[in-house]
Amino acid sequence: MLTIALSKGKLIEPTLELFRRAGYESAGLVGESRRLIFPCPEIDTTFLVVRPSDVPTYVEYGGADAGIVGKDVLMEQDSDVYEPLDLLFGACRISVAALRAEVACDRLSSKVRVATKYPRITERFFNQRGVPVEIIKLYGSIELAPVVGLADRIVDLVETGSTLKAHDLVEVDLIAQSTARFIANRASLKLKYAPLMDMIRRLRKAVEATQKAPSAPSSKSGSKRASTSAKDRA
Ligand SMILES: Nc1ncnc2c1ncn2[C@@H]1O[C@H](COP(=O)(O)OP(=O)(O)OP(=O)(O)O)[C@@H](O)[C@H]1O
Ligand SMILES: O=P(O)(O)OC[C@H]1O[C@H](OP(=O)(O)OP(=O)(O)O)[C@H](O)[C@@H]1O
């Protein structure tokens, strides 16, 4: 029996869709109630539904054999997990952004105040550039911080760019692209090698089939590939 930790929120629908396409029909039952644990004996799998930022912890400490989580969360947490498969959905980028007016007049003080949900990624990024940084940890609505004078910059996820635009913010640096990943517990990979490798192989085939399909459905955080426009801008 495999235990798989799924990220609730934006990633849950494309995740369940991928499992269904990979032949795990009973994954369709997940999320239909307030339950957090969904035993599916017919596919020898139990699904857990947890907060995205908790998925690496469940997998690293063996509460789950494997999980689905965004690369952004993995980069932030540096968990000791195996990452065998890029699922290609949930595409977004981690960017530095600032108020358009601030960028235009380039009034940065020596220490940059950055508001973010990703303090480690932010610290690494600015340290690598030798820029002194003061990090203000927030848990959401990050785009508000520069508008009310709480920060000079933000580090946040950008998908369509519409939240930045709505607050007169512009991307000034691209830190990384992110997509959903299949991660596995290192011990489980040895102890449950055959069923885990079978799941990885079936999911990989489903991902490849989606990429080949000419009219693959795409949703806001679904199967859409990362936009390259930010890369070009960065
Ligand atoms: N536009 C987007 N905004 C936020 N996340 C996105 C977006 N597009 C794709 N994602 C991916 O979806 C994941 C989950 O995002 P979601 O907003 O559902 O959870 P969250 O509220 O950030 O999680 P937590 O409760 O752990 O803080 C992100 O970690 C990222 O990998
Ligand atoms: O480029 P866009 O398509 O506008 O998407 C990016 C926005 O989506 C996410 O916020 P979310 O909806 O998860 O809310 P949050 O601020 O509470 O994290 C992210 O933090 C950005 O604010």
Side-chain angles (χ1 to χ4, degrees):
M1 177 67 91
L2 290 178
T3 301
I4 311 295
L6 306 182
S7 292
K8 67 175 168 190
K10 290 193 176 74
L11 296 181
I12 194 78
E13 271 314 316
T15 297
L16 297 179
E17 174 62 26
L18 179 69
F19 272 97
R20 283 192 292 265
R21 278 190 281 107
Y24 298 95
E25 290 303 327
S26 27
L29 300 172
V30 174
E32 283 187 353
S33 69
R34 290 289 301 158
R35 290 181 65 84
L36 304 173
I37 179 163
F38 296 86
C40 300
E42 53 303 338
I43 53 170
D44 262 350
T45 302
T46 294
F47 292 102
L48 311 179
V49 179
V50 305
R51 278 185 69 158
S53 46
D54 290 335
V55 169
T57 312
Y58 275 86
V59 175
E60 181 173 5
Y61 292 98
D65 299 303
I68 311 280
V69 68
K71 181 70 181 174
D72 54 318
V73 175
L74 293 172
M75 285 174 64
E76 178 64 19
Q77 300 194 4
D78 256 340
S79 310
D80 183 22
V81 293
Y82 183 62
E83 191 193 310
L85 187 57
D86 184 346
L87 302 172
L88 300 180
F89 60 78
C92 53
R93 47 196 189 267
I94 310 167
S95 292
V96 185
L99 284 170
R100 187 182 303 279
E102 289 290 320
V103 175
C105 63
D106 200 19
R107 268 196 319 227
L108 267 190
S109 57
S110 54
K111 197 173 214 179
V112 191
R113 279 181 129 199
V114 186
T116 187
K117 247 171 110 166
Y118 301 93
R120 284 176 163 181
I121 292 174
T122 301
E123 192 172 20
R124 273 200 301 266
F125 179 80
F126 283 92
N127 282 353
Q128 277 164 9
R129 278 154 190 76
V131 178
V133 65
E134 179 185 347
I135 295 171
I136 301 179
K137 164 83 178 160
L138 295 176
Y139 294 86
S141 307
I142 315 295
E143 290 84 354
L144 268 181
V147 176
V148 299
L150 192 63
D152 310 306
R153 298 276 187 267
I154 60 168
V155 166
D156 198 16
L157 298 181
V158 181
E159 188 188 357
T160 61
S162 53
T163 314
L164 290 183
K165 203 169 164 203
H167 298 91
D168 272 327
L169 294 159
V170 289
E171 284 174 272
V172 293
D173 275 301
L174 172 74
I175 300 182
Q177 301 280 359
S178 174
T179 45
R181 306 297 162 106
F182 182 91
I183 58 171
N185 173 274
R186 293 192 182 278
S188 298
L189 254 190
K190 291 183 187 132
L191 298 170
K192 302 185 182 180
Y193 182 80
L196 263 177
M197 290 314 285
D198 183 51
M199 181 172 279
I200 292 167
R201 187 182 51 76
R202 287 165 72 169
L203 291 174
R204 179 176 288 123
K205 257 179 105 177
V207 171
E208 286 169 0
T210 312
Q211 292 307 298
K212 282 185 197 136
S215 58
S218 82
S219 61
K220 190 173 181 288
S221 58
S223 54
K224 195 167 47 172
R225 297 299 303 268
S227 155
T228 50
S229 57
K231 208 175 200 171
D232 299 341
R233 276 199 297 279

